[in-house]
Structure formats: structure tokens, C-alpha cells
């Protein structure tokens, strides 16, 4: 989220939010290419829809450098315009919806958007973003073979689940900004009925139960996950939720960016994109006294002798943490197919596999495990 007054047309933006812009932009490029290529080959994707229902003006000022920074809508519009000009996708369409409560912000945003073309269309609007989602959601139909990506990015911890419900239950993807710092700071202090109602509506729980969460960030996040899973119901065989924290300059979590989808390919792609954006790790948290490469002895109960391992910061994982997870999962097994190893990582809510297969195998070899052409022996 941005700093300063949210009513400002060009507001200040923090480094962690710029990183959020970069992640969404990178994912949109990968998402668009993957879906359009799939549609071109199979005929099952006639077009893509991108929705940012709380888009702001798209223009910010870097709080550290003072330079102008482009936000999500401008970045996404530019890259999708480029994608839709590619020769392979001339028979498909892209529709972009950008909405904000402020007419002044939408007026500013329009100055920076590319022009429409035959297969690329932008629809700016002014109003309540939840109302826009309800209008679009009422028309969702899988028979149209159009696939969507919705960015839901409220200024505070405010979520309208009725607006999100059609998107959770239909084939598509949601990137949801859970402003967890707002909840941790303000839930216990909520006194006004309107404020209490906001948090109860966001977490679908009584304020007394939310107060019991205290400052437990994981509890608030798990509540959001549980709601999404419950709303999806049995509409899909599996529903995947990936979540990555964003830290401010004081190394405190400001928000979690959740990615929600019923399609494992999108889930895998988002995880890989997130790790690439953060520089081969799971968050932008600044280095602490924990050195991810520092070897330590693990004296876990039941072990015949201490095992050499590395330290882990659960707020910022590295490739070596993926390796530790793999070893713990398959320890003692012989001739484990590589495909089984990658499949377990594919299902993991944080760890990717696609980008780091070679690194994982290399580190396992360095630790003394035998890595064959198509399998691994997880015994020393």
C-alpha cells in the first residue's frame, strides 16, 4: 500500500510496495503468455480479463528518491498491450478494467494508459470497486472461454466477500492484498460500531474472537485462508493459496499478498515469479543475524547423532530451506522418483520447484545423497 494521504492523486510509495508492483507486473506477463498460448493451441482460451478494482491513479512518488514511479495499472496495461501485439495472439482478446472511487485519480490514470486496439481494450471507471466486481461477477460464464486475473488491493484490511465469491468459484485467479498490519494494530482498539463491523465483515468472526488473535499475524492470515477455502466449497477438486509477506524498512510485515486459484499451473507460476522477484528467496525481508548459509547441528529428538543443517528464517526462505524440506519429507527412502519430489514441491504453499531443480539436486549431492538420472536415494 502507499504512504501518506490516500486522497492524494500522486502519493508517496514505499520500497516494499514498489516490489509489489514489480511482482504483479512480472506475473501478468507470464500469466498472459501461458494462457494465450494454451488457448491458441487448444481453443479453450479466447481471451483474458485483468481487473484492478481499487487501482488508484497509477502514479506515485518514491518516498526515498522522490522519483515518479508507475503503479500496477500502468505497468499491466503497457505489458498486456505489448503481449496482444504479438503475432501469435491476434485471434484473441484482452479486456482490462481499472476502477477507483476518485474521479481525479482515474482522470490522471487515463493520461498514462496505452490506446485501445482491435484486440486490446481498457475500461476505466469511477465508483465502489466491490460494485464493479458484483456486476462483472454476475456475468461470469465458463462457456465463454475467457479467463480472468483479479487484483483486490484495498487500502485497509477491508474485504467484501460477496464481491469476491463469484471469482473464487469460477475458473480464474485472484491476487488479494491482506493488510494484516492494520488488523494487528487496530482490532484490539476498535470501539466504533462501524470499525467493529469492518473487521467482523473482513474476517467473518465476532470482534471478541479477533481480539483473541492479539498480534498473531499467522492467526489472521489463517483466518483469511479458511474463509477462501470455505467459500470455494467443493466447486473445485483442489484450491491453491500461495501467500508472501511484504516487509517495511523496519522489517515488520505490512501485508501479505495472496494468490488464489483452482489451477495448479497458475499456482506454480506465481510461486516461481515471487521467488524471482524477491531475488531467489521468499520475501524482501532485510538480512538479520540469521545467516541462511550458517551450518549448525540439529539435535532433534530421535536422531542417533546430530545432523549438520542450516538455520531457517520462516519469514524469508532460501533454496537451502527447500532442500531441508525435501530431505525431511523423503528421509530414509531409496530410489525416490524425481517427478515425485517435484510434485510435492508443486503442492507446497511457498516453495517452487521449476526454477531450482538443478540447485536442489546439486545441494543434495553436496550433502551426500545419491542423485541418479531420474531418482534420488535419501539415505546416507
Amino acid at each position: 500500500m502507499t504512504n501518506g494521504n490516500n486522497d492524494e492523486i500522486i502519493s508517496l510509495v514505499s520500497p516494499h510496495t514498489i516490489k509489489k508492483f514489480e511482482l504483479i507486473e512480472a506475473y501478468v506477463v507470464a500469466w498472459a503468455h501461458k494462457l494465450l498460448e494454451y488457448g491458441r493451441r487448444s481453443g479453450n482460451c479466447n481471451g483474458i480479463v485483468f481487473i484492478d478494482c481499487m487501482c488508484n491513479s497509477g502514479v506515485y512518488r518514491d518516498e526515498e528518491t522522490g522519483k515518479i514511479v508507475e503503479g500496477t495499472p500502468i505497468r499491466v496495461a503497457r505489458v498486456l498491450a505489448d503481449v496482444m501485439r504479438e503475432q501469435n495472439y491476434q485471434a484473441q482478446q484482452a479486456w482490462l478494467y481499472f476502477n477507483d472511487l476518485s474521479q481525479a485519480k482515474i482522470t490522471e490514470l487515463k493520461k498514462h494508459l496505452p490506446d485501445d486496439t482491435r484486440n486490446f481494450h481498457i475500461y476505466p471507471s469511477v465508483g465502489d470497486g466491490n460494485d464493479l466486481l458484483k456486476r462483472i461477477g454476475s456475468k461470469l460464464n465458463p462457456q465463454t472461454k475467457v479467463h480472468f486475473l483479479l487484483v483486490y488491493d484495498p487500502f485497509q484490511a477491508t474485504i467484501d466477500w460477496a464481491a469476491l465469491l463469484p471469482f473464487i468459484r469460477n475458473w480464474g485467479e485472484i491476487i488479494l492484498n491482506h493488510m494484516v498490519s492494520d488488523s494487528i494494530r487496530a482490532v484490539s482498539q476498535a470501539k466504533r460500531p462501524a470499525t467493529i463491523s469492518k473487521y467482523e465483515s473482513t474476517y467473518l468472526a465476532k470482534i471478541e474472537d479477533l481480539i483473541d488473535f492479539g498480534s498473531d499475524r499467522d492467526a489472521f492470515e489463517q483466518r483469511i485462508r479458511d474463509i477462501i477455502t470455505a467459500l470455494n466449497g467443493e466447486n473445485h477438486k483442489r484450491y491453491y493459496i500461495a501467500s508472501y509477506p511484504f516487509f517495511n524498512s523496519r522489517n515488520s510485515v505490512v501485508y501479505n499478498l495472496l494468490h488464489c486459484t483452482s489451477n495448479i499451473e497458475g499456482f506454480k507460476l506465481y510461486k516461481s515469479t515471487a521467488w524471482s522477484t524477491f531475488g531467489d528467496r521468499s520475501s524482501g525481508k532485510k538480512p538479520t543475524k540469521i545467516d541462511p548459509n550458517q551450518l549448525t547441528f540439529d539435535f532433534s529428538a530421535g536422531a542417533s547423532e546430530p545432523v549438520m543443517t542450516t538455520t531457517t528464517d520462516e519469514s524469508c526462505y532460501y533454496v537451502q530451506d527447500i532442500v531441508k524440506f525435501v530431505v525431511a519429507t523423503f528421509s530414509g527412502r531409496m530410489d525416490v522418483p524425481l517427478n515425485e519430489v517435484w510434485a510435492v514441491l508443486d503442492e507446497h504453499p511457498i516453495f517452487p520447484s521449476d526454477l531450482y531443480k538443478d540447485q536442489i539436486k546439486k545441494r543434495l549431492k553436496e550433502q551426500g545423497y545419491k542423485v541418479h538420472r531420474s531418482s534420488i536415494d535419501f539415505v546416507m
Side-chain angles (χ1 to χ4, degrees):
M1 306 308 296
T2 57
N3 292 325
N5 191 332
N6 195 44
D7 293 331
E8 295 177 358
I9 296 176
I10 300 178
S11 53
L12 294 177
V13 66
S14 302
H16 61 269
T17 296
I18 296 174
K19 187 61 67 175
K20 177 188 70 175
F21 297 157
E22 293 173 358
L23 171 53
I24 295 176
E25 177 186 6
Y27 182 67
V28 166
V29 174
W31 166 81
H33 277 114
K34 195 172 190 70
L35 270 177
L36 292 170
E37 189 62 25
Y38 161 75
R40 185 175 73 87
R41 296 177 180 274
S42 68
N44 290 323
C45 178
N46 296 329
I48 54 176
V49 177
F50 178 87
I51 306 168
D52 186 344
C53 60
M54 303 161 184
C55 68
N56 221 306
S57 68
V59 183
Y60 303 87
R61 190 174 299 280
D62 189 320
E63 68 175 14
E64 293 187 343
T65 67
K67 294 180 179 180
I68 293 296
V69 176
E70 293 177 343
T72 296
I74 297 174
R75 291 168 182 251
V76 167
R78 182 177 60 248
V79 296
L80 285 184
D82 290 342
V83 170
M84 299 313 295
R85 280 194 289 268
E86 295 181 26
Q87 186 61 40
N88 284 344
Y89 311 130
Q90 291 306 296
Q92 293 156 295
Q93 298 285 325
W95 298 272
L96 286 66
Y97 292 85
F98 297 130
N99 178 86
D100 196 86
L101 277 171
S102 167
Q103 178 64 68
K105 290 182 179 181
I106 291 298
T107 299
E108 178 65 29
L109 174 62
K110 288 180 179 180
K111 300 175 184 177
H112 307 277
L113 297 177
D115 294 331
D116 284 10
T117 64
R118 180 188 54 79
N119 68 339
F120 173 81
H121 318 276
I122 299 179
Y123 301 97
S125 61
V126 177
D128 187 325
N130 294 309
D131 291 340
L132 172 65
L133 295 186
K134 289 171 184 176
R135 291 196 297 272
I136 297 175
S138 67
K139 300 176 181 178
L140 292 181
N141 184 348
Q143 301 303 318
T144 60
K145 299 180 181 178
V146 172
H147 304 290
F148 64 86
L149 173 57
L150 164 63
V151 171
Y152 194 88
D153 193 358
F155 179 63
Q156 297 177 325
T158 305
I159 300 174
D160 186 334
W161 294 109
L164 290 179
L165 180 60
F167 297 89
I168 293 174
R169 292 191 172 178
N170 280 274
W171 199 100
E173 303 180 23
I174 300 170
I175 294 177
L176 170 64
N177 190 325
H178 174 214
M179 194 73 171
V180 67
S181 61
D182 175 63
S183 302
I184 290 174
R185 180 183 66 252
V187 162
S188 62
Q189 306 298 320
K191 304 297 182 185
R192 297 170 54 192
T195 304
I196 292 173
S197 177
K198 179 188 80 168
Y199 290 115
E200 290 184 337
S201 297
T202 292
Y203 294 101
L204 300 183
K206 294 294 185 182
I207 193 69
E208 294 84 2
D209 296 329
L210 298 178
I211 290 174
D212 287 343
F213 288 174
S215 59
D216 188 345
R217 175 170 63 87
D218 292 338
F220 282 103
E221 169 141 350
Q222 187 58 51
R223 182 58 187 163
I224 294 295
R225 288 171 173 268
D226 290 343
I227 292 171
I228 293 170
T229 301
L231 290 178
N232 178 63
E234 299 180 355
N235 200 52
H236 304 104
K237 291 182 180 179
R238 286 294 309 274
Y239 200 73
Y240 303 93
I241 304 173
S243 178
Y244 294 93
F246 283 73
F247 291 80
N248 62 18
S249 59
R250 298 182 297 279
N251 257 4
S252 297
V253 174
V254 183
Y255 49 78
N256 297 304
L257 207 60
L258 286 78
H259 175 265
C260 315
T261 181
S262 62
N263 187 281
I264 193 170
E265 294 303 321
F267 179 66
K268 290 162 54 179
L269 185 63
Y270 185 80
K271 292 191 295 179
S272 294
T273 305
W275 277 64
S276 293
T277 302
F278 289 127
D280 295 327
R281 53 193 182 135
S282 70
S283 78
K285 184 178 181 181
K286 293 181 178 180
T288 63
K289 293 181 179 180
I290 296 178
D291 181 355
N293 294 304
Q294 178 64 50
L295 291 174
T296 61
F297 284 106
D298 182 3
F299 294 91
S300 300
S304 58
E305 59 183 39
V307 177
M308 290 296 292
T309 184
T310 54
T311 54
T312 294
D313 181 350
E314 294 184 355
S315 295
C316 188
Y317 292 108
Y318 292 79
V319 175
Q320 49 265 47
D321 297 308
I322 302 178
V323 174
K324 287 169 63 176
F325 169 76
V326 168
V327 170
T329 301
F330 296 102
S331 180
R333 289 183 54 186
M334 293 283 291
D335 203 28
V336 178
L338 281 172
N339 287 342
E340 184 178 346
V341 175
W342 308 144
V344 167
L345 290 177
D346 288 343
E347 298 277 343
H348 194 278
I350 300 173
F351 296 156
S353 65
D354 292 346
L355 291 178
Y356 304 109
K357 291 180 179 179
D358 289 341
Q359 288 190 48
I360 291 169
K361 290 187 290 185
K362 179 182 178 182
R363 287 175 180 267
L364 287 170
K365 288 180 180 179
E366 291 172 348
Q367 292 182 25
Y369 298 100
K370 291 185 178 180
V371 179
H372 308 293
R373 178 184 292 272
S374 59
S375 67
I376 303 175
D377 295 336
F378 286 93
V379 293
M380 292 292 193

